[in-house]
Amino acid sequence: MANSWRISALAEQHRKLGAELEDWNGMGTAWNYAVSDTADDHETIRTRAGLMDVSGLKKIHCNGPHAQAVLDYVTTRDMSKLYPGKSVYASVLNEAGKFVDDCIVYCLAPNSYLVVHGTGTANEMLAKSALGRAVSLTFDDDMHDMSLQGPVAVDFLERHVPGIRELRYFHHLQTQLFGCHVMISRTGYTGERGYEIFCKAKDAPSLWEQILAEGADMGIKPCSFGTLDWLRVESHLLFYPADNSETYPYPDQPVGDTLWELGLDFTVSPGKTEFRGASEHFALQGKERVKVYGVLLDSKDVAQIGDKIYADGKCVGVITQGMYSRLSDRSMALARLEPGYAEHGTPLTLKTGTDDETSLSAISHSLPFDDPEKAKRLARG
């Protein structure tokens, strides 16, 4: 593992499960466990519940009289719609109107927000916009984040957290769990009804151990970070820069994708026209060079990252992530496709293996593959 500059309080717990920690976002992360494989972990989360360590996400506190104004300019969402206990998923663009990061913004109190983001440049964008403003930005590396995802997650938490069943999607609460102060958010990166548990680093090991011990009778198990790649394929969740032009650059253009190309245009709040890169964003509508879309294989073969996609005798796209689900008996993938081929049911051929010697039959498929009505994520009661 490369030298990580961020300390994981759960490193020992991961090593006990046979993980060789790999650097992600500056923190040692358990991509795989020796005690289970990805198919097992995928089934655990889809049928029961899995506990994952996602503490590698970066956390920034944005406080002060100008906090809302700064976030309004940096992100595509209307921050005036947030209130204490409410959060929102947002995109961050550069001056050219191209995507550089996504984040969840949590409103903790008036003029007080928590911004949680991945490997993009949200931190830099916030710092640039905060100059000369009455706002403070504090990077919080003590806060850890465990994600409890799956259909029995709410049943487990209900044993310990009063009112958790009434917590709505993209809402959060401050509470106690096993004697530790935590913030529990009804969010996640799996497509399931799930919860993220934010806590102090010193409390993370005991919370991890107690959740797994108390939840064992419900089938709750530790699941590796790498499982998210399978879940996100089914649930149409992008992972920067894995699905972006930073990984698959355009031959004659700078890197950078539009929200229209990524399918993230929904992250612009209705009626909002003032944010970084806004005019360029709106001007780029209808000029998509590529579309992130689904691919469904006609076999149990798994599409590999970088596999080329052909149709009409030419290369029309590339696979960014594939997986086979033994639960649905389907082989699925996310892909970057030429817009004309991002239509449900379009016949495709994948070239895979060394020197593209193997051909696999497939079709374009609308996203998400799993729970297109988002009934699991939005469920109440």
Side-chain angles (χ1 to χ4, degrees), residues 148-199:
L148 183 64
Q149 303 285 314
V152 306
V154 65
D155 301 316
F156 171 78
L157 287 175
E158 189 177 36
R159 295 176 174 179
H160 309 284
V161 182
I164 193 68
R165 192 171 286 278
E166 285 69 51
L167 188 67
R168 291 179 291 160
Y169 193 43
F170 274 92
H171 284 72
H172 53 276
L173 56 80
Q174 308 290 333
T175 187
Q176 296 280 318
L177 181 61
F178 299 120
C180 301
H181 176 75
V182 296
M183 183 178 85
I184 298 181
S185 170
R186 186 162 165 197
T187 46
Y189 187 71
T190 64
E192 290 292 330
R193 179 172 184 165
Y195 300 83
E196 291 184 85
I197 303 166
F198 294 89
C199 65

Side-chain angles (χ1 to χ4, degrees), residues 204-233:
S206 64
L207 283 169
W208 176 273
E209 299 286 0
Q210 289 185 83
I211 290 170
L212 293 175
E214 295 286 337
D217 66 321
M218 304 179 75
I220 295 175
K221 296 180 179 180
C223 293
S224 64
F225 191 82
T227 312
L228 295 173
D229 272 334
W230 287 33
L231 297 159
R232 74 185 191 85
V233 168

Side-chain angles (χ1 to χ4, degrees), residues 118-140:
T119 57
T121 57
N123 195 5
E124 291 88 337
M125 294 297 184
L126 282 169
K128 184 186 296 186
S129 297
L131 289 173
R133 303 288 189 94
V135 62
S136 67
L137 300 176
T138 305
F139 183 80
D140 189 346

Side-chain angles (χ1 to χ4, degrees), residues 256-335:
D257 301 301
T258 70
L259 297 184
W260 313 106
E261 292 168 334
L262 298 173
L264 293 175
D265 47 289
F266 73 91
T267 63
V268 178
S269 292
K272 185 173 182 180
T273 58
E274 297 295 328
F275 51 90
R276 178 182 280 114
S279 59
E280 292 78 6
H281 160 74
F282 291 113
L284 289 166
Q285 184 177 13
K287 301 178 182 178
E288 293 81 18
R289 302 155 295 178
V290 69
K291 286 275 193 179
V292 173
Y293 206 69
V295 171
L296 181 66
L297 279 68
D298 291 339
S299 64
K300 295 183 179 181
D301 296 284
V302 179
Q304 301 300 311
I305 295 172
D307 283 353
K308 295 177 181 178
I309 305 169
Y310 289 83
D312 298 330
K314 64 177 182 178
C315 181
V316 299
V318 62
I319 297 294
T320 64
Q321 183 66 52
M323 63 86 66
Y324 168 75
S325 169
R326 64 192 185 197
L327 295 176
S328 63
D329 191 27
R330 294 191 296 177
S331 181
M332 299 158 274
L334 293 175

Side-chain angles (χ1 to χ4, degrees), residues 288 290-296 309 311 316 335-348 362-367:
E288 293 81 18
V290 69
K291 286 275 193 179
V292 173
Y293 206 69
V295 171
L296 181 66
I309 305 169
V316 299
R336 293 172 63 87
L337 286 173
E338 290 185 12
Y341 296 90
E343 298 287 343
H344 186 84
T346 302
L348 304 169
I363 60 168
S364 300
H365 196 287
S366 59
L367 294 170

Side-chain angles (χ1 to χ4, degrees), residues 14-19 32-37 40-41 221-223:
H14 298 318
R15 292 192 180 100
K16 288 178 181 177
L17 294 167
N32 297 286
Y33 289 138
V35 297
S36 62
D37 61 25
D40 294 332
D41 290 349
K221 296 180 179 180
C223 293

